[in-house]
Amino acid sequence: MSKQHVGELVLSQAQIAEGVKHVAAQLNQKFQGERVVLITVVPGGILFTADLVRLLNFDICMDYISCPHTPGERNNKAKIVYQQNISISHQHLVIIDDAIESGGTMQRLVTHLSHQASLKSLSIATLLVKPSRVDIPVDQHFAFEMDSDDLLVGYGLPWEQRYRNLAYISKLSR
């Protein structure tokens, strides 16, 4: 794999693993003894979800949702695709993604899912968030707050549909 656009390291594999543990601890404390529906934003949230669910100690059901976007895009108008394979009615719901960048897409997903059914609660779990994200008025569980809005690649984060499979996160080098 060509890594010509992979720049400065932001989070190593070890830092990511610690971040996943941190988010899992937050969720385990909040949802102890509960049943929770986890909805992964695909494809970006797949790696984080896979690592996270292995550390959760409460009952889970899993589903997925999609809303394609270009990294760094603030006005995502892409169609939300949610097949709703399991009922979310009267459930605790956690939306899982790799990162909240601008927050526009996550805000749309929160609005969409909260209008689908009456929920016990709605939360977000991500590995990292960026500083200029929009305010999303739900509980947010994350490990890292970045100090810049640099475009990042790796661990689910793509650039031109490449680099998602890097085991670490780096700045995009153009």
Side-chain angles (χ1 to χ4, degrees):
M1 162 179 32
S2 169
K3 295 182 182 175
Q4 71 184 34
H5 299 292
V6 178
E8 177 186 339
L9 181 69
V10 174
L11 294 172
S12 68
Q13 282 183 269
Q15 289 171 305
I16 290 170
E18 285 304 310
V20 173
K21 287 179 188 174
H22 179 75
V23 175
Q26 292 175 50
L27 294 173
N28 284 332
Q29 181 176 12
K30 180 175 181 174
F31 295 113
Q32 182 179 17
E34 297 287 344
R35 180 176 185 259
V36 179
V37 176
L38 306 176
I39 298 183
T40 302
V41 180
V42 296
I46 292 172
L47 297 176
F48 180 57
T49 299
D51 290 342
L52 181 67
V53 298
R54 293 180 205 144
L55 301 176
L56 299 178
N57 58 24
F58 49 86
D59 289 335
I60 65 168
C61 294
M62 296 177 67
D63 210 345
Y64 61 92
I65 194 167
S66 177
C67 187
H69 71 285
T70 301
E73 177 183 326
R74 290 197 170 274
N75 297 308
N76 179 3
K77 302 289 186 211
K79 180 180 177 183
I80 294 173
V81 179
Y82 179 49
Q83 302 296 324
Q84 192 165 353
N85 298 300
I86 56 177
S87 174
I88 62 172
S89 232
H90 307 290
Q91 301 293 320
H92 294 290
L93 185 66
V94 178
I95 304 171
I96 302 174
D97 204 357
D98 48 7
I100 296 179
E101 297 180 84
S102 71
T105 299
M106 185 59 74
Q107 178 64 56
R108 288 186 62 217
L109 295 173
V110 164
T111 300
H112 181 82
L113 290 167
S114 64
H115 286 92
Q116 294 294 308
S118 178
L119 303 172
K120 281 186 181 178
S121 69
L122 179 57
S123 303
I124 299 168
T126 61
L127 181 65
L128 62 92
V129 296
K130 291 189 175 179
S132 67
R133 67 196 179 278
V134 298
D135 182 39
I136 305 170
V138 299
D139 284 346
Q140 297 181 36
H141 308 277
F142 58 87
F144 302 104
E145 187 163 7
M146 300 289 97
D147 56 6
S148 77
D149 285 315
D150 291 333
L151 289 175
L152 304 175
V153 295
Y155 196 69
L157 297 162
W159 176 251
E160 297 180 348
Q161 298 307 320
R162 298 167 49 205
Y163 309 119
R164 286 188 194 276
N165 59 323
L166 297 175
Y168 51 88
I169 296 176
S170 290
K171 290 182 182 178
L172 177 70
S173 173
R174 294 190 212 186

